[in-house]
């Protein structure tokens, strides 16, 4: 797989992630997000474990302690940024919160520089375009952003940026399926602990129905087991900045679903000119990061010859 193919895989990942809002619309609002996270990750871990048991066992034999510690760290980071996002979202409406959380694309280059990793000029151009797109899409809602909510979202973006950088590094060293399975295991355990603290009755608090069960299984297989594994596989070739900028396309896909899908599945969205301009800027920023330009390739070849 070359880098362009990896980026196309990341676009597919982002497209899949954008359908979460449709799946979660079938789950009652009184079901805690930590409950959904716990159950879906348990199901995903079981599916992956049963299908790829020998592969996972072989990878663990190679360096069990190292990969377990790394997946534990990723599990904590995953739960950390999701918790900050969920509590920060209480200060926003859903669309504003989603756009604000996409500020990870702005935070990531700073995190990379802190970790003494280089950030190219092309990446900064992409980041600026995506940032302009996010601000433009928010429109007049920028003035209504609550300081506490913004602080929580910002912390969540920082934690998420660290998660993406670490995942990108580990994806290049370990088997994708093994990483995905173990991350699901640790996320499930951490979410279960938080869920138990908030609701000691845990599973007894869920109003079980065929719709809820189907939604949980669809999310577990489609969004976690399949998409998370594909994401890790693609990051073997893609960079952390490419992944983050491509993830920002989730806003564009979500906007499209809100326009074309019936209201029985998702809240209808009537796009404003600001939404459309913002979406175009985000797409432009993503394309600049993804595409390899002829001039750049020529410079690379000349450098290699020298």
């Amino acid at each position: 797989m070359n880098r362009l193919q990896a980026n196309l895989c990341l676009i597919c990942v982002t497209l899949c992630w954008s359908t979460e809002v449709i799946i979660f619309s079938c789950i009652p609002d009184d079901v805690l997000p930590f409950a959904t996270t716990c159950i879906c990750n348990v199901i995903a871990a079981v599916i992956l474990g049963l299908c790829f048991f020998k592969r996972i066992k072989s990878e663990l034999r190679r360096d069990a302690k190292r990969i377990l510690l790394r997946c534990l760290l990723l599990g904590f980071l995953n739960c950390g940024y999701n918790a900050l996002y969920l509590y920060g979202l209480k200060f926003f409406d859903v669309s504003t919160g989603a756009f604000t959380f996409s500020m990870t694309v702005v935070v990531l280059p700073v995190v990379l520089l802190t970790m003494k990793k280089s950030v190219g000029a092309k990446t900064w151009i992409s980041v600026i375009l995506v940032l302009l797109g996010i601000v433009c899409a928010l429109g007049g809602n920028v003035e209504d952003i609550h300081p506490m909510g913004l602080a929580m979202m910002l912390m969540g973006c920082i934690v998420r940026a660290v998660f993406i950088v670490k995942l990108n590094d580990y994806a290049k060293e370990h088997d994708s399926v093994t990483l995905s399975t173990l991350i699901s295991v640790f996320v499930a355990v951490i979410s279960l602990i938080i869920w138990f603290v908030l609701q000691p009755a845990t599973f007894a608090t869920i109003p079980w129905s065929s719709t809820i069960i189907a939604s949980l299984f669809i999310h577990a297989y489609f969004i976690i087991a399949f998409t998370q594994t594909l994401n890790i596989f693609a990051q073997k070739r893609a960079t952390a900045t490419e992944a983050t900028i491509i993830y920002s396309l989730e806003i564009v896909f979500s906007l499209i679903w809100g326009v074309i899908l019936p209201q029985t599945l998702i809240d209808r969205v009537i796009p404003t000119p600001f939404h459309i301009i913002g979406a175009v800027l985000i797409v432009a920023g993503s394309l600049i990061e993804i595409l390899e330009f002829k001039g750049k390739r020529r410079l690379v070849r000349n450098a290699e010859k020298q």
Side-chain angles (χ1 to χ4, degrees):
M1 176 187 286
N2 58 37
R3 181 165 288 181
L4 179 58
Q5 290 171 330
N7 287 329
L8 291 175
C9 283
L10 288 173
I11 292 174
C12 292
V13 166
T14 306
L15 178 61
C16 293
W17 278 343
S18 69
T19 63
E20 277 186 302
V21 64
I22 303 170
I23 299 171
F24 281 144
S25 65
C26 301
I27 299 175
D29 294 335
D30 56 350
V31 176
L32 288 180
F34 291 110
T36 305
T37 302
C38 173
I39 295 169
C40 290
N41 276 277
V42 167
I43 297 171
V46 170
I47 292 172
L48 291 171
L50 291 176
C51 294
F52 301 99
F53 177 77
K54 290 184 179 179
R55 182 171 173 173
I56 296 168
K57 185 179 178 181
S58 175
E59 180 70 9
L60 286 173
R61 280 179 177 173
R62 190 168 66 88
D63 196 354
K65 183 178 179 180
R66 192 180 187 192
I67 192 171
L68 287 171
L69 287 174
R70 287 180 166 185
C71 288
L72 177 62
L73 172 62
L74 292 173
F76 272 112
L77 291 172
N78 185 295
C79 290
Y81 76 70
N82 276 303
L84 287 165
Y85 170 66
L86 292 170
Y87 284 102
L89 192 61
K90 293 182 179 181
F91 296 91
F92 304 92
D93 58 59
V94 175
S95 61
T96 304
F99 278 106
T100 307
F101 195 57
S102 296
M103 297 294 286
T104 304
V105 73
V106 182
V107 173
L108 184 74
V110 179
V111 171
L112 286 170
L113 291 175
T114 303
M115 294 180 172
K116 298 182 179 179
K117 294 177 181 286
S118 61
V119 180
K122 187 177 75 166
T123 297
W124 286 112
I125 295 172
S126 297
V127 167
I128 291 170
L129 285 174
V130 173
L131 174 60
L132 289 174
I134 292 170
V135 173
C136 185
L138 286 173
N141 291 335
V142 174
E143 298 178 357
D144 300 327
I145 292 178
H146 194 283
M148 180 58 72
L150 182 61
M152 297 189 78
M153 286 292 192
L154 178 60
M155 287 189 291
C157 288
I158 294 172
V159 176
R160 189 185 182 210
V162 175
F163 172 84
I164 292 170
V165 173
K166 290 297 183 183
L167 179 63
N168 189 264
D169 289 341
Y170 300 159
K172 293 173 172 57
E173 297 183 36
H174 301 291
D175 175 61
S176 305
V177 173
T178 305
L179 278 177
S180 183
T181 305
L182 293 176
I183 290 171
S184 292
V185 169
F186 286 120
V187 169
V189 172
I190 297 167
S191 299
L192 178 61
I193 293 170
I194 300 173
W195 183 17
F196 177 77
V197 171
L198 298 175
Q199 286 184 334
T202 57
F203 293 92
T205 62
I206 297 178
W208 297 103
S209 68
S210 57
T211 300
I212 291 176
I213 293 172
S215 299
L216 292 172
F217 270 90
I218 291 171
H219 186 273
Y221 173 75
F222 187 62
I223 302 298
I224 301 179
F226 171 73
T227 307
Q228 178 176 264
T229 306
L230 180 62
N231 175 46
I232 297 172
F233 179 71
Q235 291 208 33
K236 285 183 177 293
R237 295 292 297 174
T239 65
T241 50
E242 287 170 338
T244 307
I245 290 171
I246 291 171
Y247 294 159
S248 64
L249 288 173
E250 185 175 351
I251 303 169
V252 179
F253 291 135
S254 298
L255 182 64
I256 293 172
W257 300 142
V259 172
I260 66 174
L261 292 179
Q263 196 160 356
T264 53
L265 291 177
I266 189 174
D267 292 335
R268 292 301 301 273
V269 175
I270 300 176
T272 65
F274 286 110
H275 283 141
I276 296 171
I277 295 171
V280 170
L281 287 170
I282 291 170
V283 172
S286 300
L287 288 175
I288 287 175
E289 182 66 22
I290 293 169
L291 296 178
E292 293 286 345
F293 299 101
K294 292 182 179 179
K296 181 182 176 183
R297 286 200 297 268
R298 195 177 296 116
L299 288 173
V300 172
R301 290 196 200 102
N302 292 337
E304 288 175 348
K305 288 178 181 177
Q306 293 175 358

